[in-house]
Amino acid sequence: MLDFFTIFSKGGIVLWCFQGAGVTESFTGPVNALIRSVILQERGGNNSFTHEALSLKYKLDNEFELIFVVGFQKILTLTYVDKFIDDVQLHFRDRYKNELEQKGTLKLLNSTFAFEDAFSELLKLAEESSKARSPVPMRSFKESEKSQKTVKSMIETKGGDKGKEQGGKKSKNTKKEGECCLLRVVVRMFGSLLHSVANVLQLLQKSPKPQKPKEKQKRVWDNAGSSDKNLDYSDKNGAGSGDGEKNLEAQFDPVCSTSKELAVGAEASASLTMKRGGGFGGMFGMLKGLVGSKSLSRDDMEPVLEKMRDHLIAKNVAADIASQLCDSVAKKLEGKVMGTFTTVASTVKQALQDSLVQILQPKRRVDILRDVMEAQSQRRPFVITFCGVNGVGKSTNLAKISYWLIENGFSVLIAACDTFRAGAVEQLRTHQRRLNSLHPPEKHGGRPVVQLYEKGYGKDAAGIAMEAIAYARNQAFDVVLVDTAGRMQDNAPLMTALAKLIAVNMPDLVLFVGEALVGNEAVDQLVKFNQALADHSMSDKPRLIDGIVLTKFDTIDDKVGAAISMTYITGQPIVFVGTGQTYNDLRSLNARAVVSALMKA
Ligand SMILES: Nc1nc2c(ncn2[C@@H]2O[C@H](COP(=O)(O)OP(=O)(O)O)[C@@H](O)[C@H]2O)c(=O)[nH]1
Ligand SMILES: [Mg+2]
């Protein structure tokens, strides 16, 4: 049933793999696609991925930095896969703990992982358990709980309600009390720990005889003359030492993470001492437990992730994307061991920041000037089509891009394919005149550097674009910029017309123009534009959106979330950013600056 299962390290070393009986196709392609499009792009929110006819599911083991990937035919509904992948992960970790703990590429390469038997066993169990779960027959009314209820039992009495409420309140209080107790214990433990270290050192100086572990331990915990100052002191020198940490305090309300960590650390250290029977090693084990080696769980991260999600949404990231990003960060961090004195909040924040930079960094090169030169050498014009909804700045930014191309020594033909909006052709003509006055023909061998190809209004846009491209080829223009009419993503006939224009003319670049002002709407626009292009394409490999022009960036202050939503949804780069209404107001995106604006409180 499974096509393949592979286990590899984050460094790219395949530790073990399985290929299903009768499967001849190599799984390198799908796994590489998964790594490229999901894992490297930080899109790990959802742990599944489809590649051609295959469904892939994967699991990250952040502690040992492993990736477990299973592949099976998309048409199969294998209900056991999620549990199976978990089981395999647990078995593999348990079995090869020693090998995995000695990190390093060479060590991994030298280790052997004969996992076949355990894997077959687990697979057999998983397949059998899924077969065993036969469909449950529907219960009759008589068998249901409702039929057992009497009318009396359904009437709520006031007293009963009250009791319930009190009960509820009590449990809440108990929880609060519990938390307070935990905090107190933590503070005392930390204080007593420092005390006890001093005591042990003193004792060791006085008599070299080892103490009885139980007695010593008792003395340590009873010696509660701790001062909270100790904790404060460590906090100032440790947890609060980084700048990012301070920012974080300002950015998010203090979450109980620090105290929680210490609590868990202390618990862990206590058990460590018990196991080793106390003694000197146990004491330092305790210290180690307090300051590091805490592995992150989903519950630890949840309050921080919640705040991050809200923060991203407030910065205009689409709500869905914010959730997916946070899920992806959680998956990336789950099980990871945190460093000394790092808090959950700072760890999560750092991971999110890295993910955001990764998303904004183009996964492929878009170098228009180089591509234009390449087209020039093939004696054909380089064609760019602009599309997007109404009024986002398609024509204005097309004019800015014309200016940039002319400044770089290329000639431009503007194809006026917005044959719908009144004034659209005149708007482009005005730009053409202004651009030619900035770069007079006399300086360019008597030939205008920008020309407009227009056929008035009401005509078929795809036809005009085709004529314009042919004209540009004959007249040796370097670039054709195709302006299109704005259209709402839900307008099916107009979307079909756009898809046709692109399918027929096959431009070198399809740029989606979107406003930086949009929030959730960004996702809907891009998904539907891409969908329309895919649905009406006549080829197996449809031309979709290749890049984004993000306009009106000057109007959004630090609400830069649309940049994230758009790149996340399309996986395509932001090629230009429009920052105003003059020809010079065109920039390229600085991923780090956008991310720091996004993370700013
Ligand atoms: N502030 C600002 N305004 C812009 C920017 N780009 C376009 N605009 C304005 O947005 C409005 C609509 O532009 P237009 O190019 O006609 O949009 P189209 O319908 O998509 O072609 C015009 O008033 C432009 O001046 C930009 O980057 N910043
Ligand atoms: Mg326009």
Side-chain angles (χ1 to χ4, degrees), residues 10 42-46 58 60 62 296-298 301 304-305 308-309 312 321-336 344-356 359 568 599:
K10 283 190 182 169
E42 309 279 348
R43 284 161 212 277
N46 179 358
Y58 66 94
L60 305 179
N62 295 313
L296 276 171
S297 77
R298 184 86 193 202
M301 291 183 277
V304 189
L305 288 170
M308 296 264 181
R309 198 174 294 131
L312 290 176
I321 312 266
S323 300
Q324 284 179 39
L325 272 169
C326 289
D327 283 352
S328 164
V329 166
K331 287 223 170 88
K332 203 169 118 185
L333 292 180
E334 220 168 331
K336 208 170 187 141
V344 179
S346 63
T347 310
V348 171
K349 191 193 172 196
Q350 189 56 49
L352 181 66
Q353 200 157 332
D354 294 346
S355 294
L356 293 171
I359 287 167
Y568 189 91
M599 299 306 280

Side-chain angles (χ1 to χ4, degrees), residues 394-395 418 421 427 483-484:
K394 291 181 292 300
S395 311
D418 180 355
R421 197 179 97 177
Q427 182 188 6
D483 189 28
T484 64

Side-chain angles (χ1 to χ4, degrees), residues 196-433:
S196 56
V197 171
N199 282 349
V200 171
L201 288 173
Q202 243 178 6
L203 277 169
L204 276 172
Q205 272 177 350
K206 277 182 194 161
S207 89
K209 259 191 190 172
Q211 292 283 321
K212 263 190 185 175
K214 265 204 171 167
E215 268 176 36
K216 195 181 93 188
Q217 201 187 357
K218 202 172 174 199
R219 183 140 46 81
V220 171
W221 299 124
D222 284 352
N223 192 2
S226 61
S227 65
D228 294 3
K229 274 181 199 156
N230 283 344
L231 189 67
D232 278 339
Y233 178 78
S234 73
D235 218 19
K236 266 172 217 148
N237 288 289
S241 62
D243 243 356
E245 185 64 36
K246 272 182 207 145
N247 290 344
L248 200 96
E249 297 290 333
Q251 201 168 319
F252 306 103
D253 296 339
V255 264
C256 57
S257 54
T258 318
S259 48
K260 226 176 174 182
E261 265 160 51
L262 287 169
V264 181
E267 273 163 27
S269 66
S271 68
L272 207 82
T273 327
M274 297 295 273
K275 256 189 238 160
R276 293 187 186 171
F280 205 45
M283 190 53 70
F284 281 100
M286 202 185 281
L287 195 59
K288 185 174 160 240
L290 272 170
V291 296
S293 72
K294 151 100 176 80
S295 77
L296 276 171
S297 77
R298 184 86 193 202
D299 287 348
D300 294 335
M301 291 183 277
E302 202 47 60
V304 189
L305 288 170
E306 190 88 352
K307 285 211 155 61
M308 296 264 181
R309 198 174 294 131
D310 293 347
H311 177 77
L312 290 176
I313 293 171
K315 293 273 176 154
N316 235 4
V317 176
D320 268 3
I321 312 266
S323 300
Q324 284 179 39
L325 272 169
C326 289
D327 283 352
S328 164
V329 166
K331 287 223 170 88
K332 203 169 118 185
L333 292 180
E334 220 168 331
K336 208 170 187 141
V337 176
M338 295 201 313
T340 310
F341 285 124
T342 48
T343 63
V344 179
S346 63
T347 310
V348 171
K349 191 193 172 196
Q350 189 56 49
L352 181 66
Q353 200 157 332
D354 294 346
S355 294
L356 293 171
V357 172
Q358 191 70 38
I359 287 167
L360 286 177
Q361 238 132 33
K363 69 172 179 199
R364 64 184 183 84
R365 174 191 70 95
V366 177
D367 186 343
I368 295 182
L369 297 179
R370 229 178 93 169
D371 292 349
V372 172
M373 277 195 273
E374 205 177 307
Q376 241 178 357
S377 68
Q378 297 163 4
R379 301 188 170 280
R380 64 175 186 89
F382 185 80
V383 183
I384 308 179
T385 302
F386 293 77
C387 61
V389 306
N390 305 297
V392 288
K394 291 181 292 300
S395 311
T396 310
N397 285 281
L398 178 147
K400 292 184 210 170
I401 292 167
S402 305
Y403 179 71
W404 171 72
L405 287 166
I406 298 162
E407 292 270 298
N408 280 287
F410 298 115
S411 56
V412 176
L413 182 72
I414 299 175
C417 296
D418 180 355
T419 58
F420 182 74
R421 197 179 97 177
V425 178
E426 287 73 16
Q427 182 188 6
L428 291 177
R429 189 173 295 128
T430 309
H431 280 305
Q432 179 231 352
R433 286 207 190 107

